Amino acid sequence: MLYKGENLKRIAIYPGSFDPVTNGHLDIMERGLSLFDEIIMAILINPSKKSLFSVKERVELLEKSTEQFDNIHVDTFNGLLVDYAKQKGAVAILRGMRAVSDFEYEFQLALMNRRLNRDVQTVFLMTGMRWIFTSSSIIKEAAAFDGDVSGMVPPIVEKRLKEKLRMGN
Ligand code: PNS
């Protein structure tokens, strides 16, 4: 609920691993901008999850891929997402939903987050049909075997994927 005098800016947190950011993520982000005044793309710092790109690299790739948007910010967080959302004054958590296979995990996450903080709503947006089968992991796998991932990730990500995989990680 919005009370008199409260900040009218509607901020959403779009959390994820973004290892790396894909055009599917950017599609959700752009759709989210029609609902929110500001979106914070927040990368979870999770040392126990093996990632291809370091947090620093992921931040850079996200920043470069979103630089044309004034109301998109890139940040990192650790700990509970709802605590981070509260600290940022966010009203919502934004997540993308592709196929039914995403549903169970997303449902669990959203309900746990609601239990932890009832003031932060989870908002799911459907990706465009062209991104329905893309995911960071499938893109990494294709790129590792020299598959063409152009058009599925921003050009800078495609370049960095090639460099990284050529270096043998
Ligand atoms: O891109 P991902 O890996 O699907 O993103 C998962 C993410 C970062 C949204 C989720 O793991 C998360 O929010 N982790 C932070 C810890 C937390 O608050 N977990 C949910 C309640 S236990």
Side-chain angles (χ1 to χ4, degrees):
M1 190 168 319
L2 205 65
Y3 296 99
K4 237 181 178 171
E6 259 189 351
N7 191 353
L8 288 171
K9 208 158 133 198
R10 296 249 160 211
I11 302 171
I13 307 291
Y14 183 2
S17 306
F18 302 109
D19 182 38
V21 57
T22 68
N23 286 348
H25 292 129
L26 298 178
D27 176 71
I28 293 294
M29 178 206 83
E30 285 204 56
R31 288 171 197 276
L33 283 179
S34 63
L35 299 175
F36 302 103
D37 301 308
E38 189 180 317
I39 296 176
I40 304 174
M41 313 276 288
I43 301 171
L44 173 68
I45 301 174
N46 184 359
S48 61
K49 192 172 167 186
K50 201 179 167 329
S51 60
L52 179 63
F53 292 96
S54 68
V55 171
K56 193 165 166 262
E57 289 170 323
R58 283 181 270 159
V59 166
E60 190 204 345
L61 291 175
L62 259 178
E63 277 175 346
K64 291 211 162 117
S65 309
T66 59
E67 62 193 357
Q68 67 272 41
F69 299 96
D70 288 338
N71 42 358
I72 295 292
H73 302 282
V74 178
D75 196 9
T76 59
F77 75 104
N78 50 31
L80 281 182
L81 174 59
V82 287
D83 292 345
Y84 173 76
K86 191 172 174 197
Q87 179 203 324
K88 292 288 166 186
V91 292
I93 291 165
L94 176 63
R95 291 287 285 174
M97 191 76 92
R98 286 165 303 188
V100 182
S101 48
D102 281 343
F103 182 78
E104 201 168 330
Y105 170 66
E106 293 298 334
F107 191 61
Q108 272 183 351
L109 200 65
L111 289 181
M112 178 53 96
N113 284 333
R114 187 200 279 168
R115 197 190 146 96
L116 294 169
N117 185 338
R118 301 195 68 81
D119 297 332
V120 182
Q121 305 302 326
T122 299
V123 172
F124 294 110
L125 291 178
M126 298 274 294
T127 46
M129 284 304 280
R130 54 195 299 221
W131 312 121
I132 219 104
F133 64 95
T134 59
S135 71
S136 299
S137 14
I138 212 104
I139 286 171
K140 281 185 284 190
E141 189 165 332
F145 292 110
D146 220 14
D148 179 15
V149 296
S150 58
M152 298 169 97
V153 288
I156 178 78
V157 173
E158 191 190 346
K159 185 168 170 274
R160 292 294 167 80
L161 268 171
K162 280 191 185 142
E163 287 167 3
K164 182 144 291 235
L165 297 165
R166 203 180 307 130
M167 288 186 315
N169 192 329

